[in-house]
Amino acid sequence: MKKDAAFDSLRHEVRDWLAEHWKGVDDRQWRLDVVMAGWAAPTFPENAYGRGLSTAHAEVVSSEFGKVGAPHSCQDLGTSAFHGWVRMVGMAVARFGRAQLREAFLRDLLARDADHGVALYSEPGAGSDLASLQTKAILDGDHWVVNGQKTWSSSAAESTWGVLLARTDDTVPKHQGISFFVIEMRQPGVDIRPIKQITGDSEFSEVFLTDARVPVENLVGELNGGWAVLQEVLAAEREWLGAYLEAGNRPGVPAEELDRSDMVSAEGAEDLIDAARKAGRADDSAVRQSIAQLHTLRLVHHWNNERLMSGADGGSSPVAAAALGKLASSRILHATGRYKAQMLGAEAMMYGPDHRAAEYVNREVMNAFINSVGGGSDQIQRNIISERLLGLPRGHAPDRGVAFKDIKKSAVN
């Protein structure tokens, strides 16, 4: 009864607020109004433009906004690429950021004034072993001066800001000397060089940092405590990726090019059945078996995402649960791509605008590898699952406990 009363009270509060503020115009003032009222990210803390609501309560907010057609509420629950940044970086800044950063960055992010970001994590010599990163940040007055190289940075050329991992102490073991920053991308000393992918796209870039500057207030979390912040961000990213893919999105395919008539959903296998019908193989028992297997994987993945979002994970590590979801996403993407290529048959060997069906399927197959690498490779997810979910012993690490400056490493160009 108390729970119902709390939900009803919230529902009436949202309705009253909308009746007073929503005039049917989606402009910057409206976006700011939603942010300042705490509806843009209601699960965020109250001192970070949120209301400290549970996911279930936040869904009430989303429902009421949806009834009147008012946009921009509950960005912390969304599944788009932009919502991913809110769920990953926005929540990290809300929880660990200093007051000045929370006030400026979160306001601009939620109001869509700073909606293009980039993760500056991986380096040429620090991919799966990310803690081996060599980009350095040295304190100079009220700024950190950053020098180093990052790679496989998504959408760097379009980004106005980035989240940066940099080494701030090399006298301690590698995981203990890393700090987490928010950096302005459009400044001297930031050189972005696109990487040509197998698809012909350049979604990723190399980023060279030469005396780039970061204000001291843009440190997120404790100095040298960036690894702990990163784990929170990566867990949120893996959770979001599962929801993003389940919503019918596909890595590497622009939103305007997505054909959502065959959107992947937990409730059906329309895209798989459609591919079989077009190939004239809908009655093939082996094909039907493949459809059933893929549909089952999607359903279980959906249920695991629901369990993770609700917190009903039996007390297991949220990082491990998110890793399980991300690994499942990779398996589903690769298996779906292979299945659709098989349905096309010999046509799947073609590519280009004259063979749109084959090009689309091949892009899906090639872009599946983005999910297998981004946010931690499949192999890393297996390590996390084995250690934190299954309780298996950790693998041998010869540099464990050794000061980073004493670890042998490749030279940085």
Side-chain angles (χ1 to χ4, degrees), residues 243-295:
Y244 175 78
L245 294 169
E246 189 177 314
N249 299 286
R250 296 174 178 85
V253 182
E256 62 271 16
E257 293 184 13
L258 283 172
D259 177 7
R260 295 183 181 274
S261 63
D262 64 354
M263 181 184 293
V264 176
S265 75
E267 303 304 323
E270 293 86 356
D271 61 319
L272 307 176
I273 296 170
D274 183 61
R277 285 173 174 164
K278 289 178 178 177
R281 300 182 63 184
D283 294 327
D284 187 317
S285 60
V287 171
R288 295 167 73 90
Q289 181 76 5
S290 296
I291 293 173
Q293 289 173 345
L294 277 168
H295 180 47

Side-chain angles (χ1 to χ4, degrees), residues 164-177:
L164 168 73
L165 286 179
R167 190 161 302 282
T168 45
D169 187 351
D170 65 359
T171 66
V172 295
K174 60 185 183 181
H175 292 85
Q176 299 174 22

Side-chain angles (χ1 to χ4, degrees), residues 389-407:
L389 203 59
L390 302 179
L392 298 177
R394 297 181 64 180
H396 175 63
D399 56 5
R400 186 173 296 147
V402 179
F404 185 75
K405 64 183 180 61
D406 297 326
I407 299 174

Side-chain angles (χ1 to χ4, degrees), residues 191-260:
D191 180 17
I192 300 170
R193 305 179 189 178
I195 298 172
K196 184 71 72 174
Q197 298 161 223
I198 190 173
T199 59
D201 302 324
S202 294
E203 182 182 350
F204 303 99
S205 296
E206 295 178 290
V207 179
F208 295 84
L209 303 159
T210 306
D211 293 333
R213 301 181 72 83
V214 180
V216 292
E217 60 268 18
N218 282 23
L219 173 68
V220 181
E222 298 297 324
L223 179 63
N224 299 321
W227 194 255
V229 177
L230 175 68
Q231 298 316 299
E232 299 279 345
V233 173
L234 289 179
E237 179 181 15
R238 291 157 187 160
E239 177 186 318
W240 162 75
L241 271 174
Y244 175 78
L245 294 169
E246 189 177 314
N249 299 286
R250 296 174 178 85
V253 182
E256 62 271 16
E257 293 184 13
L258 283 172
D259 177 7
R260 295 183 181 274

Side-chain angles (χ1 to χ4, degrees), residues 28 31-32 35 40 75 82 106-114:
R28 186 173 186 275
R31 295 195 299 271
L32 283 173
V35 173
Q75 299 174 34
F82 168 73
L106 290 179
R107 181 193 62 233
D108 290 347
L109 177 67
L110 295 172
R112 301 296 186 100
D113 291 334

